[in-house]
Amino acid sequence: MLTAAAGVLTSPLAPDDFRAMVNPLWSRQRLSGRVEAVVPETSDASTVVIRPGHGWREHLAGQHVGIGVDIAGVWHWRTFSLSSPPGRPDGLVTITVKAGPGGFVSRHVVRRLRPGGVVRLSQPSGRFVLPEILPARLLFVTAGSGVTPVMSMLRGFALAGDMPDVFHAHVAPTGPEVIFGDELRRLAARFPSLRLHEHHTRPGPGRRARRPTMADLSAACADVADRMAWVCGPRGLLDGAEAYWRAAGLADRLRTERFQPVRRPSAAPGGRVRFVRSDREVVADGGTSLLAVGEEADVVMPSGCRMGVCRTCLARLADGRVRDLRTGEEHGDPGDLIQTCVSTAVGDVDLDL
Amino acid sequence: MSGSTHLSARDIEEFGRELDRLRAEVIASRGEDDARYIRRVIAVQRGLEAGGRAVMFASVVPPAWLAGTAMLSVAKILENMEIGHNVLHGQWDWMRDPDIHSTTWEWDFASPADQWKHSHNYAHHTYTNVLGKDRDLGYGMLRVSPEQPWHPIYLAQPLYNLGLAAVFEWGIAIYDAEIDKAWQGEKSWGETAGQLGRALRKAARQGLKDYVAFPLLGGPAFLPVLLGNLTANVTRNVWAHTIITCGHFPEGTRTFTEEEMAEESRGDWYLRQLLGSANISGPAILHLLSGNLSHQIEHHLFPDLPSNRYAQIAPRVRDLCERFGLPYTTGSLPRQTASVWRRITRLALPTVSAARV
Ligand SMILES: Cc1cc2nc3c(=O)[nH]c(=O)nc-3n(C[C@H](O)[C@H](O)[C@H](O)COP(=O)(O)OP(=O)(O)OC[C@H]3O[C@@H](n4cnc5c(N)ncnc54)[C@H](O)[C@@H]3O)c2cc1C
Ligand code: FES
């Protein structure tokens, strides 16, 4: 009622447009956060401490969030796992970002983002979380920046002062390059029920150890099969884990989180893509997601995980057919809702965007 | 098309390529400074609007009324010209900010954004100054080219052009519904009525805000607030009308026939935009308040480049015109306004139609 009345006074804008002018964190329409600090973790990873604005819903440990970053005047969105535990007394949340080689957004975040900057946020989401009733024994397998969602869980346990029986295997090139290395070792020292097993793939100068396999894991942790497992890391690790648990007939005990989409390369030609409501038309190849095609054409494209998980990017297909980047499968009838982040054009496509 | 100038088809191609290069250069260099510019203009505009309305509430003191009305007038001018018009052109779409985007923007103007985008971005910018195609040529009520057949009604056009200035936003809202097209059977009456209905609802909301809600909030200042809002709207309308008629109607701008436009190359298109548009010279504040339509030539060559860049590329466009021996029509605001009125007055009378203006 009050908002409707205020809306009369601000028409054609919304009262929110004026609130956001005073403080972007007050906007309910455009959830934002203020960067409070950027803390280096390793040589190429940093933690960004964020104060989320009004309307932020607290996350569950393990969930991820979409972050919009203004780089040279253009908003770019990427997904990051929250590394902070839910219920931090100061209300702050953190993400921990590893600058990939040539990574456009991650390098900006690690090297250029400064306290005081404003980022945009989506609400946290994701199913890489703990069940309501904790299993008796847990297994975490992480590699590189894949430790972030698990860190949120461990910090949550530590905050509650109650660490369940956890075996945590982590893979990193060297000791100093373990993100949260010191904190993990401190936690393991403090809680006997947490066993930390670090595997370094470059244990000394010039020395290179092989990547650990599932066999190494079962050697280190005798009761792998009895534990509920959470695995997060690069593609190879996840593929190996999925095959292992499936072969053991225990696929339901495994939770995974992928940072990179599974992609099946396709040489199929694309087509003309028309964004009907935005009145834009561009030519797309068969390898670029419709999400990227739209962003390139300056169409407002909803997006979240950008890898086919969250369905934030759903758009109505008005005409044409698309190919799923993950499976290579061709599909689509007029009216279908498609995930633009994992769909490419097969011939001409009209999207209701 | 090359027939309209001394240039050969090859010259025109080269002219077009040079402009394409200029465009690419600006696009490649768009960045942080441009984004900061539009955000600042929006912040200033909203500040002026909120401030102006607040000050007006103190209207028992006459200087407060004047100050509030002036602030609100400037706010409304900025909102329509430098922000609304340019955002709706998609000049800021590259920022991928849904809050400053042509597909989501709505403005303080009687005509709903999507109807205006169709009649302006598509019809006017594609068919600029083509007789019988560009409905902006005289807005279906003014005779601005001797090729338009004379009718006794035009005798009154200096008078009703003056009237149009005061109610410009309403005129445009009705105009955008394209009643003339329904009349000629080019589109259905149902669609037209629907458009008019939406325009009316939009306009009603704007009217409710300026002439009911804020005056009521003003309490004892009811009447001054109402008059202040009315003054701000009329000021904005007259200003917009002045700037916009200076864009295509002053002496020196040309009109084209559909035959001339047939099989136009990219270079030809650029050439028509140049010959059909006129700039207004003046200080930076004039450019800002005109929404950079004072750089009408640059705007018509590159309708979707950020408006803050027009001033920067104008000298280069002008050099290019000099190099190709092409006219670059420009003049001060008083001069261009007088020129428009001269034309409108002259063409109120019947003329021998063959002569070009
Ligand atoms: C659910 C989920 C959670 C995630 N959580 C995290 C997290 O907690 N922390 C984290 O750091 N990331 C996380 N990511 C990954 C993150 O979203 C980005 O994908 C990642 O940061 C890369 O984005 P970018 O813009 O930097 O790379 P882009 O520019 O988009 O490039 C994509 C990839 O290509 C590589 N690349 C690009 N150019 C080159 C080149 N010239 N040579 C070699 N490689 C190149 C980049 O390194 C990058 O890996 C998560 C992703 C998902 C889906
Ligand atoms: S962006 Fe998450 S499914 Fe497409």
Side-chain angles (χ1 to χ4, degrees), chain A residues 8-13 17-18 21 29-30 70 72-76 120 277-278 280 295-296 298-300, chain B residues 31-32 35 39 43 46 93-99 101-103 106-108 205-206 209 213-214 217:
Chain A
V8 171
L9 300 182
T10 57
S11 165
L13 299 174
D17 293 315
F18 285 87
M21 279 282 119
Q29 199 167 288
R30 212 62 66 200
D70 177 349
V74 184
W75 288 100
H76 294 270
R120 288 191 175 164
R277 269 187 286 142
S278 310
R280 300 272 139 96
E295 286 180 341
E296 251 340 280
D298 298 336
V299 178
V300 172
Chain B
E32 221 165 310
R39 290 202 194 108
R46 287 181 192 168
D93 286 4
W94 58 274
M95 291 162 58
R96 298 189 197 159
D97 188 340
D99 291 340
H101 200 279
S102 65
T103 53
E106 192 48 87
W107 59 348
D108 180 18
R205 267 202 315 279
Q206 297 312 98
K209 163 173 132 174
F214 273 105
L217 268 186

Side-chain angles (χ1 to χ4, degrees), chain B residues 73-223:
Chain B
S73 303
V74 173
K76 279 180 176 269
I77 284 171
L78 282 178
E79 197 271 349
N80 272 193
M81 311 288 284
E82 181 65 344
I83 305 172
H85 169 266
N86 294 335
V87 169
L88 289 175
H89 259 291
Q91 293 183 3
W92 303 100
D93 286 4
W94 58 274
M95 291 162 58
R96 298 189 197 159
D97 188 340
D99 291 340
I100 311 179
H101 200 279
S102 65
T103 53
T104 58
W105 194 264
E106 192 48 87
W107 59 348
D108 180 18
F109 202 62
S111 184
D114 55 334
Q115 291 178 23
W116 180 83
K117 275 191 288 185
H118 171 79
S119 88
H120 181 81
N121 287 5
Y122 169 67
H124 169 56
H125 274 271
T126 313
Y127 300 111
T128 312
N129 282 26
V130 175
L131 287 159
K133 279 288 202 182
D134 181 5
R135 294 172 65 252
D136 276 23
L137 258 185
Y139 301 104
M141 57 174 117
L142 296 174
R143 183 165 178 257
V144 291
S145 161
E147 276 93 348
Q148 285 171 282
W150 186 80
H151 185 280
I153 184 100
Y154 289 132
L155 283 171
Q157 77 173 12
L159 212 63
Y160 61 64
N161 188 38
L162 206 59
L164 175 66
V167 297
F168 192 58
E169 63 173 320
W170 305 95
I172 294 297
I174 295 168
Y175 164 79
D176 285 348
E178 304 178 321
I179 301 174
D180 50 328
K181 280 200 176 166
W183 198 260
Q184 288 153 12
E186 285 177 37
K187 70 186 232 194
S188 79
W189 277 107
E191 188 188 337
T192 310
Q195 283 183 330
L196 275 174
R198 278 194 305 127
L200 216 63
R201 271 194 300 282
K202 164 94 192 286
R205 267 202 315 279
Q206 297 312 98
L208 179 67
K209 163 173 132 174
D210 280 340
Y211 303 126
V212 181
F214 273 105
L216 280 177
L217 268 186
F222 181 93
L223 209 59

Side-chain angles (χ1 to χ4, degrees), chain B residues 2 20 24 28 34-35 44 47 104 112 127 163 170 241 247 250 266 289 309 316-317 320-321 328 349:
Chain B
S2 49
D20 278 342
D34 304 285
V44 166
T104 58
Y127 300 111
W170 305 95
H241 175 270
R266 180 138 182 90
L289 291 177
R309 295 299 194 94
R316 292 176 59 188
V317 173
L320 201 65
C321 291
Y328 183 94
L349 306 169

